Structures are given as C-alpha cells and as structure tokens.
Amino acid sequence: MDFLGDVLGYVAGICTAICFLPQTISTIRSHNVDGLSLLSYIIYALGMLCWILYGLHLSALPMIIFNSPALLFALIIIWQIVCYKGKSE
Amino acid sequence: MDFLGDVLGYVAGICTAICFLPQTISTIRSHNVDGLSLLSYIIYALGMLCWILYGLHLSALPMIIFNSPALLFALIIIWQIVCYKGKSE
C-alpha cells in the first residue's frame, strides 16, 4: 500500500474530473461567456480526449473515469461559448 | 516502442500544459474576468498541484513538466479573477 501516492492520485483525479463543473453551471445560468477563451477550452478538450484514448490504449480505467467528466464539461462550455459569444456583448 | 501510446501521451501532456495560456493572455489583455468561475480555477489548480506532488512522489518527470505550466497559468488566472472581479461590472 502506498497511502500518500493513493491520496495524491485520487485527489488529483477528482479535482480533474469536477473542476469545470462550477464553470459549466455558472455559464448555463448566466449565459455570460464574455471573458472565456474558446481556444483554451478547445485545447483543454483535445487534451482530455487524448488522456481518455491513452487510458483506453493502456486499459487504465481510472484515467478514463477521471477524464471523461472533464471532457463532457469542456464540450458543454465550448458549445455555450459558440452559442452565446457576441450575444452577451 | 509504443508509438500510438507515446503520441497520445505527449499530445495529451502538451495540451494540458498549454491549454490555459490563451485564457491567461486574453485575461491579462482585457481584464475581463466576468464569466470566469473562481471556484473552477481553484479546484483546477489544486488538481494540478496534486499531479505535480504525485509526479514528485513517483519521480515521474513528465508528470511534473506537463502539469507545472498548467498550475502557473491557473494561479495567474486566479490572481486576475481576485483582482478584477467586480471592477469589470
């Protein structure tokens, strides 16, 4: 058992999974995407997609589980930026 | 050699490292942090910090190298949200 490693890995994974949930909720509520960088979320989503594919390639289930919600939230935010950019100006 | 695995890992790592560079630059230029979720960036930064500590714990250099710029950009964005929130309203 590697307690410290397990704790760090799980906290990191959970943070990765849920970090853009508050951003997603606040953007859905406010439709305010004014300050959000579309390019950043596209690169972020591409990164998450590659981590998931890498996880599938390595059969590493935690990598797939932690990165899938992150990709979902990123895609929702991208979709909202595309829909609402300009409309809130 | 695992070519597919290497490519996926490096693309994922580079995307993770640089994804919030455009957000950082655009926020520095515009001071517009209106739609940005402070909570999301705090959780994101905590996650990156844990990945770096996990990388140090495992002596996994790529994990440290790819996540360090991500943490730096997240901290700059957090600092800007704290500085400019309310001022742009």
Side-chain angles (χ1 to χ4, degrees):
Chain A
M1 283 290 289
D2 172 13
F3 181 72
L4 179 63
D6 285 352
V7 169
L8 286 172
Y10 277 104
V11 174
I14 291 167
C15 287
T16 295
I18 63 159
C19 61
F20 286 105
L21 177 60
Q23 180 68 70
T24 304
I25 292 171
S26 104
T27 312
I28 286 174
R29 281 188 182 156
S30 69
H31 296 184
N32 185 351
V33 295
D34 217 19
L36 275 71
S37 163
L38 178 60
L39 182 58
S40 275
Y41 284 99
I42 289 172
I43 300 171
Y44 178 76
L46 178 65
M48 290 301 119
L49 179 65
C50 286
W51 285 128
I52 292 166
L53 294 174
Y54 193 37
L56 287 168
H57 182 71
L58 299 176
S59 303
L61 195 61
M63 206 181 265
I64 302 164
I65 290 174
F66 287 138
N67 289 302
S68 294
L71 176 60
L72 175 70
F73 297 139
L75 292 175
I76 295 172
I77 293 169
I78 289 170
W79 174 70
Q80 291 182 97
I81 295 175
V82 170
C83 284
Y84 299 120
K85 202 85 177 179
K87 291 184 186 170
S88 57
E89 279 164 12
Chain B
M1 284 288 288
D2 174 11
F3 181 72
L4 178 62
D6 285 352
V7 168
L8 285 173
Y10 278 103
V11 174
I14 291 167
C15 287
T16 296
I18 64 160
C19 61
F20 286 106
L21 177 59
Q23 181 68 69
T24 305
I25 292 172
S26 105
T27 313
I28 286 174
R29 281 188 181 157
S30 68
H31 294 183
N32 184 352
V33 295
D34 217 17
L36 276 70
S37 163
L38 178 60
L39 181 59
S40 274
Y41 284 98
I42 289 172
I43 300 171
Y44 178 77
L46 177 64
M48 290 300 118
L49 179 65
C50 286
W51 285 127
I52 293 166
L53 294 175
Y54 194 38
L56 288 168
H57 182 71
L58 299 175
S59 302
L61 195 60
M63 206 182 264
I64 302 163
I65 290 174
F66 288 137
N67 289 303
S68 294
L71 176 60
L72 175 69
F73 297 139
L75 292 175
I76 295 173
I77 293 169
I78 289 170
W79 175 71
Q80 291 183 97
I81 295 174
V82 170
C83 285
Y84 299 122
K85 202 81 177 181
K87 292 184 184 170
S88 58
E89 277 164 13

